[in-house]
């Protein structure tokens, strides 16, 4: 199953997805795309494309070979907690979707032009997807004084699975793999049931591949990038370079990806923000994280047009890819740049409303005085 096919499928149904942790094509695309949401890649990850690393969560693991070869063994979503504050530092539920079904649904999705058609595609996906297992990382130092809702959620999630194996431990962190020995196979053909049984055999290998480390604050990682430089093209093919920063008091740079639902959903707010602040000599530009790539560039254009986003969006060059983009912990990520191309204030990870972004802009303008 090609990763790009999943991205295309996600794009068709993105208008009906929610940001919540739900079974969605968006979340599958997020985690299978070569540039992953809420994850970072290390050099050895490129070797087989099987390593998943979540710096903010202090978690990494390798995907078993039997899963890597399939198209539908993916996280439903990544639910992060705040290390040092929350009892649940991370929760990552996985699900199984038959590989051939994903291929067929992708083809259908490319022809689903209406909202009704897109909704049917999404419903077909949800009806076929099966709960598989859950990864949960706990900070045992917060078991008694962490948020009450964390305690309740942990107990609720544990009740859904027969096996709760502690598979890794680091300082106060504990990682549990939650799984069953019997699964819902309703709606699956005999061939699909056989595939599901095969992938379940990868659980034993998977247990051995999970490791914990001290979580890394995304702001600390980004602090090393004081200056932003590029010489590239816009998504429309026009030449552009970082000298554009000198024409504005401040530039908000929003890094997004075609597979990221929250990125796409915040675009209308970003466009409204741009319309409001451009008269104050403030600019907004986007960087399409999962480009350069011909298919993703075409997809990005479609998304921007559909969302009415007219602010400039650029395709990253080598300087951006090997620089600031290499260390972002997820998309959307937003940075602010002054006239000299220097970053101003902390990096923002995650989506925000128009008013929240505007507040961040004015705070940074004040700091420049």
């Amino acid at each position: 199953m090609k990763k790009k096919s999943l991205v295309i499928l996600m794009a068709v149904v993105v208008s009906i997805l929610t940001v919540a942790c739900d079974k969605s094509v968006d979340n599958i695309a997020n985690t299978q795309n070569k540039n992953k949401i809420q994850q970072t890649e290390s050099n050895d990850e490129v070797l087989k494309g099987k390593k998943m690393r979540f710096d903010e969560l202090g978690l990494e693991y390798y995907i078993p070979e039997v899963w890597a070869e399939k198209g539908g063994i993916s996280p439903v979503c990544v639910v992060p907690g705040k290390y040092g504050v929350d009892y649940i530092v991370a929760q990552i539920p996985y699900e199984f979707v038959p590989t051939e079904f994903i291929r067929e649904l992708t083809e259908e999705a490319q022809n689903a032009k209406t909202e009704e058609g897109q909704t049917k595609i999404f419903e077909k996906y949800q009806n076929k997807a099966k709960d598989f297992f859950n990864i949960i990382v706990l900070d045992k130092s917060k078991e008694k004084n962490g948020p009450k809702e964390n305690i309740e959620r942990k107990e609720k999630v544990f009740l859904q699975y027969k096996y709760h194996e502690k598979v890794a431990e680091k300082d106060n962190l504990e990682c549990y793999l939650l799984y069953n020995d019997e699964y819902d196979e309703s709606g699956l053909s005999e061939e699909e049931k056989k595939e599901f049984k095969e992938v379940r055999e990868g659980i034993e290998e998977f247990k051995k591949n999970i490791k914990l480390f001290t979580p890394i604050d995304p702001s600390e990682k980004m602090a090393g990038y004081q200056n932003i430089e590029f010489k590239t093209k816009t998504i429309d093919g026009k030449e552009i370079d970082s000298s554009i920063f000198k024409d504005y008091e401040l530039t908000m740079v929003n890094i997004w990806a075609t597979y990221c639902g929250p990125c796409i959903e915040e675009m209308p707010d970003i466009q409204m923000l741009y319309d409001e602040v451009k008269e104050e000599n403030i600019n907004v530009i986007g960087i399409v994280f999962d480009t350069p790539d011909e298919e993703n560039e075409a997809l990005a254009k479609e998304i921007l047009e559909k969302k009415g986003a007219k602010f400039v969006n650029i395709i990253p060059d080598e300087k951006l890819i090997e620089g600031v983009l290499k260390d972002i912990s997820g998309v959307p990520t937003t940075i602010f740049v002054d006239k000299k191309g220097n970053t101003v204030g902390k990096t923002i990870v995650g989506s925000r409303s128009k008013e929240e972004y505007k507040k961040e802009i004015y705070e940074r303008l004040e700091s420049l005085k």
Side-chain angles (χ1 to χ4, degrees), residues 28-185:
I28 289 179
N30 288 351
T31 51
Q32 288 201 322
N33 194 278
K34 61 186 174 184
N35 296 308
K36 307 175 190 72
I37 186 170
Q38 293 186 341
Q39 341 185 99
T40 56
E41 291 188 354
S42 59
N43 291 333
D44 58 343
E45 191 170 354
V46 179
L47 296 178
K48 292 187 177 180
K50 295 196 302 176
K51 185 178 180 180
M52 307 283 276
R53 180 179 172 90
F54 303 80
D55 284 348
E56 291 175 75
L57 311 179
L59 174 67
E60 72 174 33
Y61 50 86
Y62 283 87
I63 300 298
E65 197 72 48
V66 67
W67 298 353
E69 295 171 354
K70 306 295 181 182
I73 313 301
S74 308
V76 177
C77 62
V78 177
V79 186
K82 188 171 179 60
Y83 177 58
V85 175
D86 292 316
Y87 178 41
I88 300 180
V89 177
Q91 182 186 345
I92 308 177
Y94 266 71
E95 66 188 5
F96 163 79
V97 183
T99 303
E100 183 62 20
F101 172 79
I102 284 285
R103 187 190 66 77
E104 293 172 357
L105 199 63
T106 300
E107 293 178 0
E108 288 184 39
Q110 294 180 37
N111 298 315
K113 305 299 184 181
T114 66
E115 185 172 343
E116 180 182 2
Q118 294 167 7
T119 301
K120 287 182 179 178
I121 292 292
F122 185 61
E123 289 175 347
K124 286 180 70 172
Y125 173 85
Q126 285 195 306
N127 289 336
K128 184 69 82 168
K130 302 299 180 183
D131 289 330
F132 192 1
F133 62 87
N134 216 305
I135 302 169
I136 191 162
V137 178
L138 305 175
D139 183 347
K140 57 187 178 184
S141 70
K142 297 296 176 181
E143 185 172 6
K144 298 189 183 298
N145 60 358
K148 181 180 178 182
E149 58 269 23
N150 273 200
I151 308 296
E152 295 173 348
R153 177 153 63 95
K154 179 253 185 180
E155 295 301 325
K156 182 178 180 181
V157 173
F158 271 53
L159 285 173
Q160 296 173 16
Y161 298 90
K162 180 177 180 179
Y163 299 104
H164 318 128
E165 291 194 32
K166 185 193 293 186
V167 291
E169 192 166 8
K170 168 71 175 178
D171 300 328
N172 290 325
L173 294 180
E174 298 177 324
C175 180
Y176 288 85
L177 185 64
L178 314 179
Y179 62 99
N180 292 312
D181 52 11
E182 294 183 3
Y183 291 85
D184 173 22
E185 295 183 336

